[in-house]
Amino acid sequence: AHPDPSLSSLFAKENLAHMSEEQLNRYDRLINEPSNDWDIYYWATEAKPTPAEFDTDVMAMLREFAKNRNREQRLRQPDLEYLFEPPR
């Protein structure tokens, strides 16, 4: 199971268009080389240190994106309860 498919796909949607060819190659390597998707998630959320070979500018962008995404989710969470209120 993928830990958070939205993290890398949303990151890609927001960032790939602005990335250089070298960055795109590093991103491609990052999402394809590690054998475990959880590793990328742990590195992005800083739950585990990123190995030197993947600790690039692209990984730094993904880490920053994960921080902002978590902040957005925390800000948005209270709205969910309104979905379950009966209409007036």
Side-chain angles (χ1 to χ4, degrees):
H2 199 296
D4 185 0
S6 60
L7 184 68
S8 54
S9 59
L10 287 171
F11 173 81
K13 193 169 137 189
E14 284 191 20
N15 292 281
L16 293 193
H18 315 290
M19 288 163 72
S20 69
E21 194 174 337
E22 291 82 8
Q23 287 175 319
L24 290 172
N25 289 336
R26 286 193 287 275
Y27 178 74
D28 190 57
R29 189 170 163 235
L30 174 67
I31 59 169
N32 289 305
E33 277 192 25
S35 57
N36 189 343
D37 284 342
W38 279 102
D39 286 338
I40 301 167
Y41 180 77
Y42 290 142
W43 303 336
T45 56
E46 297 181 85
K48 285 184 179 175
T50 306
E53 72 214 76
F54 295 112
D55 203 3
T56 63
D57 56 340
V58 173
M59 191 66 227
M61 289 166 69
L62 185 57
R63 270 196 297 266
E64 202 52 44
F65 182 81
K67 278 181 202 156
N68 292 336
R69 177 124 177 84
N70 286 341
R71 202 168 299 131
E72 282 170 24
Q73 285 176 335
R74 279 198 299 274
L75 290 173
R76 276 203 235 108
Q77 231 157 359
D79 298 346
L80 295 176
E81 63 203 39
Y82 299 115
L83 295 174
F84 302 103
E85 284 184 6
R88 288 176 196 160

Coordinates of all heavy atoms in Angstrom, one line a residue:
A1 N 0.8 -1.2 0.0 CA 0.0 0.0 0.0 C 0.9 1.2 0.0 O 1.9 1.3 0.7 CB -0.9 0.0 1.2
H2 N 0.5 2.2 -0.7 CA 1.2 3.5 -0.8 C 0.8 4.4 0.3 O -0.4 4.5 0.6 CB 0.9 4.2 -2.1 CG 1.9 5.2 -2.5 ND1 2.1 6.3 -1.8 CD2 2.8 5.3 -3.5 CE1 3.1 7.1 -2.3 NE2 3.5 6.4 -3.4
P3 N 1.7 4.9 1.1 CA 1.4 5.6 2.3 C 0.6 6.9 2.0 O -0.4 7.2 2.7 CB 2.7 6.0 2.9 CG 3.7 5.9 1.8 CD 3.2 4.8 0.9
D4 N 0.9 7.6 1.0 CA 0.2 8.9 0.7 C 0.4 9.2 -0.7 O 1.2 10.0 -1.1 CB 0.7 10.0 1.6 CG -0.1 11.3 1.4 OD1 -1.1 11.3 0.6 OD2 0.2 12.3 2.0
P5 N -0.4 8.5 -1.6 CA -0.2 8.7 -3.0 C -0.4 10.2 -3.4 O 0.1 10.6 -4.4 CB -1.3 7.8 -3.7 CG -2.3 7.5 -2.6 CD -1.5 7.6 -1.3
S6 N -1.2 10.9 -2.6 CA -1.4 12.3 -3.0 C -0.2 13.1 -2.8 O -0.1 14.1 -3.4 CB -2.6 12.8 -2.2 OG -2.4 12.8 -0.8
L7 N 0.7 12.8 -1.8 CA 1.8 13.6 -1.6 C 2.7 13.8 -2.8 O 2.9 14.9 -3.3 CB 2.7 13.0 -0.4 CG 3.9 13.9 0.0 CD1 3.4 15.2 0.7 CD2 4.8 13.2 1.0
S8 N 3.2 12.6 -3.4 CA 4.0 12.8 -4.6 C 3.3 13.2 -5.8 O 3.8 14.0 -6.6 CB 4.8 11.5 -4.8 OG 3.9 10.4 -4.9
S9 N 2.0 12.8 -5.9 CA 1.3 13.2 -7.1 C 0.9 14.7 -7.1 O 1.0 15.4 -8.1 CB 0.0 12.4 -7.4 OG -0.9 12.5 -6.3
L10 N 0.5 15.2 -5.9 CA 0.3 16.7 -5.8 C 1.5 17.5 -5.9 O 1.5 18.5 -6.5 CB -0.4 17.0 -4.4 CG -1.9 16.6 -4.3 CD1 -2.3 16.7 -2.9 CD2 -2.8 17.3 -5.2
F11 N 2.6 17.0 -5.4 CA 3.9 17.6 -5.5 C 4.3 17.7 -7.0 O 4.6 18.8 -7.5 CB 5.0 16.9 -4.8 CG 6.4 17.4 -5.1 CD1 6.9 18.5 -4.4 CD2 7.2 16.8 -6.0 CE1 8.1 19.0 -4.6 CE2 8.5 17.3 -6.3 CZ 9.0 18.4 -5.6
A12 N 4.1 16.6 -7.7 CA 4.4 16.6 -9.2 C 3.5 17.6 -9.9 O 4.0 18.4 -10.7 CB 4.2 15.2 -9.7
K13 N 2.3 17.6 -9.6 CA 1.3 18.5 -10.3 C 1.7 20.0 -10.1 O 1.7 20.8 -11.0 CB -0.1 18.3 -9.7 CG -1.2 18.9 -10.5 CD -2.5 18.4 -10.0 CE -3.5 19.5 -9.9 NZ -4.8 19.1 -9.2
E14 N 2.2 20.3 -8.9 CA 2.5 21.7 -8.6 C 3.9 22.1 -9.1 O 4.2 23.3 -9.3 CB 2.4 22.0 -7.1 CG 1.0 22.1 -6.6 CD 0.8 22.7 -5.2 OE1 1.8 23.3 -4.7 OE2 -0.2 22.5 -4.6
N15 N 4.8 21.1 -9.2 CA 6.2 21.5 -9.3 C 6.9 21.1 -10.7 O 7.8 21.7 -11.1 CB 7.1 20.9 -8.2 CG 6.7 21.6 -6.9 OD1 7.2 22.7 -6.6 ND2 5.9 21.0 -6.1
L16 N 6.4 20.0 -11.3 CA 7.1 19.5 -12.4 C 7.3 20.5 -13.6 O 8.3 20.6 -14.2 CB 6.5 18.2 -13.0 CG 6.5 16.9 -12.1 CD1 6.1 15.7 -12.9 CD2 7.9 16.7 -11.5
A17 N 6.3 21.3 -13.8 CA 6.3 22.3 -14.9 C 7.4 23.3 -14.7 O 7.9 23.9 -15.6 CB 5.0 23.0 -15.0
H18 N 7.8 23.5 -13.4 CA 8.8 24.6 -13.1 C 10.2 24.0 -12.9 O 11.2 24.7 -12.6 CB 8.5 25.3 -11.9 CG 7.0 25.7 -11.8 ND1 6.5 26.7 -12.6 CD2 6.0 25.3 -11.0 CE1 5.2 26.8 -12.4 NE2 4.9 25.9 -11.4
M19 N 10.4 22.7 -13.1 CA 11.7 22.1 -12.8 C 12.6 22.0 -14.0 O 12.1 21.8 -15.1 CB 11.4 20.7 -12.1 CG 10.9 20.8 -10.7 SD 10.2 19.3 -10.1 CE 11.6 18.2 -9.8
S20 N 13.9 22.1 -13.8 CA 14.8 21.9 -14.9 C 14.9 20.4 -15.3 O 14.4 19.6 -14.5 CB 16.2 22.4 -14.4 OG 16.7 21.5 -13.4
E21 N 15.6 20.2 -16.4 CA 15.7 18.8 -16.9 C 16.5 18.0 -15.8 O 16.1 16.8 -15.6 CB 16.4 18.8 -18.2 CG 16.3 17.4 -18.9 CD 16.9 17.4 -20.3 OE1 17.0 18.5 -20.9 OE2 17.3 16.3 -20.7
E22 N 17.5 18.6 -15.2 CA 18.3 17.9 -14.2 C 17.4 17.5 -13.0 O 17.5 16.4 -12.4 CB 19.5 18.7 -13.7 CG 20.6 18.9 -14.8 CD 20.3 20.0 -15.8 OE1 19.3 20.8 -15.6 OE2 21.0 20.1 -16.8
Q23 N 16.6 18.5 -12.6 CA 15.7 18.2 -11.4 C 14.7 17.1 -11.8 O 14.4 16.3 -11.0 CB 15.0 19.5 -11.0 CG 15.9 20.5 -10.3 CD 15.2 21.8 -10.0 OE1 14.4 22.3 -10.9 NE2 15.4 22.4 -8.9
L24 N 14.2 17.2 -13.0 CA 13.2 16.1 -13.4 C 13.9 14.8 -13.4 O 13.3 13.8 -12.9 CB 12.7 16.4 -14.8 CG 11.7 17.6 -14.9 CD1 11.4 17.9 -16.4 CD2 10.4 17.4 -14.2
N25 N 15.1 14.7 -13.8 CA 15.9 13.4 -13.7 C 16.0 13.0 -12.3 O 15.9 11.8 -12.0 CB 17.2 13.5 -14.4 CG 17.1 13.7 -15.9 OD1 16.1 13.2 -16.5 ND2 18.1 14.3 -16.6
R26 N 16.4 13.9 -11.4 CA 16.5 13.6 -10.0 C 15.2 13.1 -9.4 O 15.1 12.2 -8.6 CB 17.1 14.7 -9.2 CG 18.6 14.9 -9.5 CD 19.3 15.9 -8.5 NE 18.9 17.3 -8.7 CZ 19.5 18.1 -9.5 NH1 20.5 17.7 -10.3 NH2 19.1 19.3 -9.6
Y27 N 14.1 13.8 -9.8 CA 12.8 13.4 -9.3 C 12.4 12.0 -9.8 O 11.9 11.2 -9.0 CB 11.7 14.4 -9.7 CG 10.3 14.1 -9.3 CD1 10.0 14.2 -8.0 CD2 9.4 13.5 -10.2 CE1 8.7 13.9 -7.5 CE2 8.1 13.2 -9.7 CZ 7.8 13.4 -8.4 OH 6.5 13.0 -8.0
D28 N 12.7 11.8 -11.0 CA 12.4 10.5 -11.6 C 13.1 9.4 -10.9 O 12.6 8.3 -10.5 CB 12.8 10.5 -13.1 CG 12.3 9.2 -13.8 OD1 11.1 9.0 -13.8 OD2 13.1 8.5 -14.4
R29 N 14.4 9.6 -10.6 CA 15.2 8.6 -9.9 C 14.7 8.4 -8.4 O 14.6 7.3 -7.9 CB 16.6 9.2 -9.8 CG 17.6 8.2 -9.3 CD 19.1 8.6 -9.5 NE 19.8 7.8 -8.6 CZ 20.7 8.3 -7.6 NH1 20.8 9.6 -7.5 NH2 21.3 7.5 -6.9
L30 N 14.3 9.6 -7.8 CA 13.8 9.5 -6.4 C 12.5 8.6 -6.4 O 12.4 7.8 -5.5 CB 13.5 10.9 -5.9 CG 12.8 11.0 -4.5 CD1 13.7 10.5 -3.5 CD2 12.3 12.4 -4.3
I31 N 11.6 8.8 -7.3 CA 10.3 8.0 -7.2 C 10.4 6.6 -7.7 O 9.6 5.8 -7.5 CB 9.1 8.8 -7.8 CG1 9.3 9.1 -9.3 CG2 8.8 10.1 -7.0 CD1 8.1 9.6 -10.0
N32 N 11.5 6.3 -8.5 CA 11.6 5.0 -9.1 C 12.6 4.1 -8.5 O 12.5 2.9 -8.5 CB 11.9 5.1 -10.6 CG 10.6 5.6 -11.3 OD1 9.6 5.0 -11.2 ND2 10.8 6.7 -12.1
E33 N 13.7 4.7 -7.9 CA 14.8 3.8 -7.4 C 14.6 3.2 -6.0 O 14.8 2.0 -5.9 CB 16.1 4.6 -7.4 CG 16.8 4.5 -8.8 CD 18.2 5.0 -8.8 OE1 18.9 4.9 -7.8 OE2 18.6 5.4 -9.9
P34 N 14.1 3.9 -5.0 CA 13.9 3.3 -3.7 C 12.9 2.1 -3.9 O 11.9 2.3 -4.6 CB 13.3 4.4 -2.8 CG 13.8 5.6 -3.5 CD 13.8 5.4 -5.0
S35 N 13.1 1.0 -3.3 CA 12.3 -0.2 -3.5 C 11.0 0.0 -2.7 O 10.0 -0.8 -2.9 CB 13.0 -1.4 -3.1 OG 13.4 -1.3 -1.8
N36 N 10.9 0.9 -1.8 CA 9.8 1.0 -0.9 C 9.2 2.4 -0.9 O 10.0 3.4 -0.5 CB 10.2 0.6 0.5 CG 9.1 0.5 1.5 OD1 8.0 1.0 1.2 ND2 9.3 -0.2 2.6
D37 N 8.0 2.6 -1.3 CA 7.4 3.9 -1.3 C 7.4 4.6 0.1 O 7.4 5.8 0.2 CB 5.9 3.8 -1.8 CG 5.8 3.7 -3.3 OD1 6.8 4.0 -4.0 OD2 4.8 3.2 -3.8
W38 N 7.3 3.7 1.1 CA 7.3 4.3 2.5 C 8.6 5.1 2.8 O 8.5 6.0 3.5 CB 7.1 3.1 3.5 CG 5.7 2.7 3.7 CD1 5.1 1.6 3.1 CD2 4.7 3.4 4.4 NE1 3.8 1.5 3.5 CE2 3.5 2.6 4.2 CE3 4.6 4.5 5.1 CZ2 2.3 3.0 4.8 CZ3 3.4 4.9 5.7 CH2 2.3 4.1 5.6
D39 N 9.7 4.6 2.2 CA 10.9 5.3 2.4 C 10.8 6.8 2.0 O 11.2 7.7 2.7 CB 12.1 4.6 1.6 CG 12.5 3.3 2.3 OD1 12.3 3.1 3.5 OD2 13.1 2.5 1.6
I40 N 10.3 7.0 0.8 CA 10.1 8.4 0.3 C 9.3 9.2 1.2 O 9.6 10.3 1.5 CB 9.6 8.4 -1.2 CG1 10.5 7.6 -2.1 CG2 9.4 9.8 -1.7 CD1 9.8 7.2 -3.4
Y41 N 8.2 8.6 1.7 CA 7.3 9.3 2.6 C 8.0 9.6 3.9 O 7.9 10.7 4.4 CB 6.1 8.4 2.9 CG 5.1 9.0 3.8 CD1 4.2 10.0 3.4 CD2 5.0 8.6 5.1 CE1 3.3 10.6 4.2 CE2 4.1 9.2 6.0 CZ 3.3 10.2 5.6 OH 2.4 10.8 6.4
Y42 N 8.7 8.7 4.4 CA 9.5 8.9 5.7 C 10.5 10.0 5.5 O 10.7 10.9 6.4 CB 10.2 7.6 6.2 CG 9.2 6.6 6.7 CD1 9.5 5.2 6.5 CD2 8.1 6.9 7.4 CE1 8.6 4.3 7.0 CE2 7.2 6.0 7.9 CZ 7.4 4.6 7.7 OH 6.6 3.7 8.1
W43 N 11.2 10.0 4.4 CA 12.2 11.0 4.1 C 11.5 12.4 4.0 O 12.0 13.4 4.5 CB 13.0 10.7 2.8 CG 13.7 9.4 2.9 CD1 14.1 8.7 4.0 CD2 14.1 8.6 1.7 NE1 14.7 7.5 3.6 CE2 14.7 7.4 2.2 CE3 14.0 8.8 0.4 CZ2 15.2 6.5 1.4 CZ3 14.5 7.8 -0.5 CH2 15.1 6.7 0.0
A44 N 10.4 12.4 3.2 CA 9.7 13.7 3.0 C 9.2 14.3 4.2 O 9.2 15.5 4.4 CB 8.6 13.5 2.0
T45 N 8.7 13.5 5.2 CA 8.2 14.0 6.4 C 9.2 14.0 7.5 O 8.9 14.3 8.7 CB 7.0 13.1 6.9 OG1 7.5 11.7 7.0 CG2 5.8 13.1 5.9
E46 N 10.5 13.7 7.2 CA 11.6 13.7 8.1 C 11.5 12.8 9.3 O 12.0 12.9 10.3 CB 11.9 15.2 8.6 CG 12.3 16.1 7.4 CD 12.6 17.5 7.9 OE1 13.7 17.7 8.2 OE2 11.7 18.3 7.8
A47 N 10.7 11.7 9.0 CA 10.6 10.7 10.0 C 11.9 9.8 10.0 O 12.2 9.2 11.1 CB 9.4 9.8 9.8
K48 N 12.5 9.8 8.9 CA 13.8 9.1 8.8 C 14.7 10.0 8.0 O 14.3 10.7 7.1 CB 13.6 7.8 8.0 CG 13.0 6.6 8.7 CD 13.0 5.4 7.9 CE 12.3 4.2 8.6 NZ 12.2 3.0 7.7
P49 N 16.1 9.9 8.3 CA 17.0 10.7 7.5 C 17.1 10.2 6.0 O 17.0 9.0 5.8 CB 18.3 10.5 8.2 CG 18.2 9.3 9.0 CD 16.7 9.1 9.3
T50 N 17.2 11.2 5.1 CA 17.3 10.8 3.7 C 18.7 10.4 3.4 O 19.7 11.1 3.8 CB 17.0 12.1 2.8 OG1 15.7 12.6 3.2 CG2 17.0 11.7 1.4
P51 N 18.9 9.2 2.7 CA 20.3 8.8 2.3 C 20.9 9.9 1.4 O 20.2 10.5 0.7 CB 20.0 7.5 1.6 CG 18.7 7.1 1.9 CD 17.9 8.3 2.3
A52 N 22.2 10.0 1.6 CA 22.9 11.1 0.8 C 22.6 11.0 -0.7 O 22.5 12.1 -1.3 CB 24.4 10.9 1.1
E53 N 22.5 9.8 -1.3 CA 22.3 9.8 -2.7 C 21.0 10.3 -3.2 O 20.8 10.7 -4.3 CB 22.5 8.3 -3.2 CG 21.3 7.4 -2.8 CD 21.7 6.0 -2.5 OE1 22.2 5.8 -1.4 OE2 21.4 5.1 -3.3
F54 N 20.0 10.4 -2.3 CA 18.7 11.0 -2.6 C 18.5 12.4 -2.0 O 17.4 13.0 -2.2 CB 17.6 10.1 -2.2 CG 17.6 8.7 -2.9 CD1 17.9 7.6 -2.3 CD2 17.3 8.7 -4.3 CE1 17.9 6.3 -2.9 CE2 17.3 7.5 -5.0 CZ 17.6 6.3 -4.3
D55 N 19.5 12.8 -1.2 CA 19.3 14.1 -0.5 C 19.7 15.3 -1.4 O 20.7 15.9 -1.3 CB 20.1 14.1 0.8 CG 19.5 15.1 1.8 OD1 18.5 15.7 1.5 OD2 20.1 15.3 2.9
T56 N 18.8 15.6 -2.4 CA 19.1 16.6 -3.4 C 18.2 17.8 -3.2 O 17.3 17.8 -2.3 CB 18.8 16.0 -4.8 OG1 17.4 15.7 -4.9 CG2 19.6 14.7 -5.0
D57 N 18.3 18.7 -4.1 CA 17.4 19.9 -4.1 C 15.9 19.5 -4.3 O 15.0 20.0 -3.7 CB 17.8 20.9 -5.2 CG 17.8 20.3 -6.6 OD1 17.9 19.1 -6.7 OD2 17.8 21.1 -7.5
V58 N 15.7 18.4 -5.0 CA 14.4 17.9 -5.3 C 13.8 17.3 -4.0 O 12.6 17.6 -3.7 CB 14.4 16.9 -6.4 CG1 13.0 16.3 -6.6 CG2 14.8 17.6 -7.8
M59 N 14.6 16.6 -3.2 CA 14.1 16.1 -2.0 C 13.8 17.2 -1.0 O 12.8 17.2 -0.3 CB 15.2 15.2 -1.4 CG 14.8 14.3 -0.2 SD 13.5 13.1 -0.7 CE 12.3 13.4 0.6
A60 N 14.6 18.3 -1.0 CA 14.4 19.4 -0.2 C 13.0 20.1 -0.5 O 12.3 20.5 0.3 CB 15.5 20.4 -0.3
M61 N 12.7 20.1 -1.8 CA 11.5 20.7 -2.3 C 10.3 19.8 -1.8 O 9.3 20.3 -1.4 CB 11.4 20.8 -3.8 CG 12.3 21.8 -4.4 SD 12.6 21.6 -6.2 CE 10.9 22.0 -6.8
L62 N 10.5 18.5 -1.9 CA 9.5 17.6 -1.5 C 9.2 17.7 0.0 O 8.1 17.7 0.5 CB 9.8 16.1 -1.9 CG 8.8 15.0 -1.6 CD1 7.4 15.3 -2.3 CD2 9.3 13.7 -2.1
R63 N 10.3 17.8 0.8 CA 10.2 18.0 2.3 C 9.4 19.2 2.6 O 8.5 19.2 3.5 CB 11.6 18.1 2.9 CG 12.1 16.7 3.3 CD 13.3 16.9 4.3 NE 14.4 17.6 3.7 CZ 15.5 17.0 3.2 NH1 15.5 15.7 3.1 NH2 16.4 17.7 2.7
E64 N 9.7 20.3 1.9 CA 9.0 21.6 2.1 C 7.6 21.5 1.8 O 6.7 22.0 2.5 CB 9.7 22.7 1.3 CG 9.5 24.1 1.8 CD 9.8 24.3 3.3 OE1 10.9 23.8 3.8 OE2 9.0 24.9 3.9
F65 N 7.3 20.8 0.7 CA 5.9 20.6 0.2 C 5.2 19.7 1.3 O 4.0 20.1 1.6 CB 5.9 19.8 -1.1 CG 4.6 19.6 -1.7 CD1 3.9 20.6 -2.4 CD2 3.9 18.4 -1.6 CE1 2.6 20.4 -2.9 CE2 2.7 18.2 -2.1 CZ 2.0 19.2 -2.7
A66 N 5.8 18.7 1.8 CA 5.1 17.9 2.8 C 4.8 18.7 4.1 O 3.7 18.6 4.6 CB 6.0 16.7 3.2
K67 N 5.7 19.6 4.5 CA 5.4 20.5 5.6 C 4.2 21.3 5.4 O 3.3 21.5 6.2 CB 6.6 21.4 5.9 CG 7.7 20.7 6.7 CD 8.9 21.8 6.9 CE 10.1 21.0 7.2 NZ 11.3 21.8 6.9
N68 N 4.2 22.0 4.2 CA 3.1 22.9 3.8 C 1.8 22.1 3.7 O 0.7 22.6 4.1 CB 3.4 23.6 2.5 CG 4.5 24.6 2.7 OD1 4.8 25.1 3.8 ND2 5.2 24.9 1.6
R69 N 1.9 20.9 3.2 CA 0.7 20.1 3.0 C 0.1 19.7 4.4 O -1.1 19.7 4.6 CB 1.1 18.8 2.2 CG 0.0 17.8 2.0 CD -0.3 17.5 0.6 NE -1.3 16.5 0.5 CZ -2.6 16.8 0.5 NH1 -3.0 18.0 0.6 NH2 -3.5 15.9 0.4
N70 N 1.0 19.3 5.3 CA 0.5 19.0 6.6 C -0.1 20.2 7.3 O -1.2 20.1 8.0 CB 1.7 18.5 7.5 CG 2.1 17.1 7.1 OD1 1.3 16.4 6.5 ND2 3.3 16.7 7.5
R71 N 0.4 21.4 7.1 CA -0.2 22.6 7.7 C -1.5 22.8 7.1 O -2.5 23.1 7.8 CB 0.8 23.8 7.4 CG 0.6 24.9 8.3 CD 1.7 25.9 8.2 NE 3.0 25.4 8.5 CZ 4.1 25.5 7.7 NH1 4.1 26.1 6.6 NH2 5.3 24.9 8.1
E72 N -1.7 22.7 5.8 CA -3.0 22.9 5.1 C -4.0 21.9 5.6 O -5.1 22.2 5.9 CB -2.8 22.6 3.6 CG -2.2 23.7 2.8 CD -1.9 23.4 1.4 OE1 -2.5 22.4 0.9 OE2 -1.0 24.0 0.8
Q73 N -3.6 20.6 5.8 CA -4.5 19.6 6.3 C -5.0 20.0 7.7 O -6.1 19.8 8.0 CB -3.9 18.2 6.3 CG -3.8 17.7 4.9 CD -3.0 16.3 4.8 OE1 -2.2 16.0 5.7 NE2 -3.3 15.6 3.8
R74 N -4.0 20.5 8.5 CA -4.4 20.8 9.9 C -5.4 22.0 9.9 O -6.4 22.1 10.6 CB -3.2 21.2 10.7 CG -2.5 20.0 11.3 CD -1.6 20.4 12.4 NE -0.5 21.3 12.0 CZ 0.6 21.0 11.5 NH1 0.9 19.7 11.3 NH2 1.5 21.9 11.2
L75 N -5.2 22.9 9.0 CA -6.1 24.1 8.9 C -7.5 23.7 8.4 O -8.4 24.2 8.7 CB -5.5 25.2 7.9 CG -4.2 25.9 8.4 CD1 -3.7 26.8 7.3 CD2 -4.6 26.7 9.7
R76 N -7.5 22.7 7.5 CA -8.7 22.3 6.8 C -9.6 21.3 7.6 O -10.7 21.3 7.5 CB -8.5 21.7 5.5 CG -8.3 22.8 4.4 CD -8.6 22.3 3.0 NE -7.5 22.5 2.2 CZ -6.7 21.6 1.7 NH1 -6.8 20.3 2.0 NH2 -5.7 21.9 0.9
Q77 N -8.9 20.6 8.5 CA -9.6 19.5 9.2 C -10.9 19.9 9.9 O -11.9 19.2 9.7 CB -8.7 18.8 10.2 CG -8.7 17.4 10.0 CD -7.4 16.7 10.5 OE1 -6.5 17.4 11.1 NE2 -7.3 15.4 10.4
P78 N -11.0 21.0 10.6 CA -12.3 21.3 11.3 C -13.5 21.4 10.3 O -14.6 21.2 10.7 CB -12.0 22.6 12.0 CG -10.5 22.7 12.2 CD -10.0 21.9 11.0
D79 N -13.2 21.8 9.1 CA -14.3 21.9 8.1 C -15.1 20.6 7.9 O -16.2 20.6 7.6 CB -13.8 22.4 6.8 CG -13.1 23.7 6.8 OD1 -13.3 24.4 7.9 OD2 -12.4 24.1 5.9
L80 N -14.4 19.5 8.1 CA -15.0 18.2 7.8 C -16.3 17.9 8.6 O -17.2 17.3 8.1 CB -14.0 17.1 8.1 CG -12.8 17.0 7.2 CD1 -11.8 15.9 7.6 CD2 -13.1 16.9 5.7
E81 N -16.3 18.4 9.9 CA -17.5 18.1 10.7 C -18.7 18.7 10.1 O -19.8 18.2 10.3 CB -17.2 18.5 12.1 CG -17.0 20.0 12.3 CD -16.3 20.4 13.6 OE1 -15.3 19.6 13.9 OE2 -16.6 21.3 14.2
Y82 N -18.6 19.8 9.4 CA -19.8 20.4 8.8 C -20.4 19.6 7.7 O -21.6 19.7 7.4 CB -19.4 21.8 8.2 CG -18.9 22.7 9.3 CD1 -17.6 23.2 9.2 CD2 -19.7 23.1 10.3 CE1 -17.1 24.0 10.2 CE2 -19.2 24.0 11.3 CZ -17.9 24.4 11.3 OH -17.4 25.2 12.3
L83 N -19.7 18.7 7.1 CA -20.2 17.8 6.1 C -21.3 16.9 6.7 O -22.2 16.4 6.0 CB -19.1 16.9 5.5 CG -18.0 17.6 4.7 CD1 -17.0 16.6 4.3 CD2 -18.6 18.3 3.5
F84 N -21.2 16.6 8.0 CA -22.1 15.7 8.7 C -23.3 16.3 9.4 O -24.1 15.7 10.0 CB -21.3 14.8 9.6 CG -20.2 14.1 8.9 CD1 -18.9 14.5 9.1 CD2 -20.4 13.0 8.1 CE1 -17.8 13.8 8.4 CE2 -19.4 12.4 7.4 CZ -18.1 12.8 7.5
E85 N -23.3 17.7 9.4 CA -24.4 18.3 10.0 C -25.6 18.2 9.1 O -25.5 18.4 7.9 CB -24.1 19.8 10.2 CG -23.1 20.0 11.4 CD -22.9 21.5 11.7 OE1 -23.5 22.3 11.0 OE2 -22.1 21.8 12.6
P86 N -26.8 18.0 9.7 CA -28.0 18.0 8.9 C -28.3 19.3 8.3 O -28.0 20.3 8.9 CB -29.1 17.6 9.9 CG -28.6 17.9 11.2 CD -27.1 17.9 11.1
P87 N -28.8 19.4 7.1 CA -29.2 20.7 6.4 C -30.3 21.3 7.3 O -31.1 20.7 7.8 CB -29.7 20.3 5.0 CG -29.9 18.8 5.1 CD -29.2 18.2 6.2
R88 N -30.2 22.7 7.3 CA -31.2 23.4 8.1 C -32.3 23.9 7.2 O -32.1 24.3 6.1 CB -30.5 24.6 8.8 CG -29.6 24.1 9.9 CD -28.9 25.2 10.5 NE -27.8 24.6 11.3 CZ -26.7 25.2 11.7 NH1 -26.5 26.5 11.4 NH2 -25.8 24.6 12.4

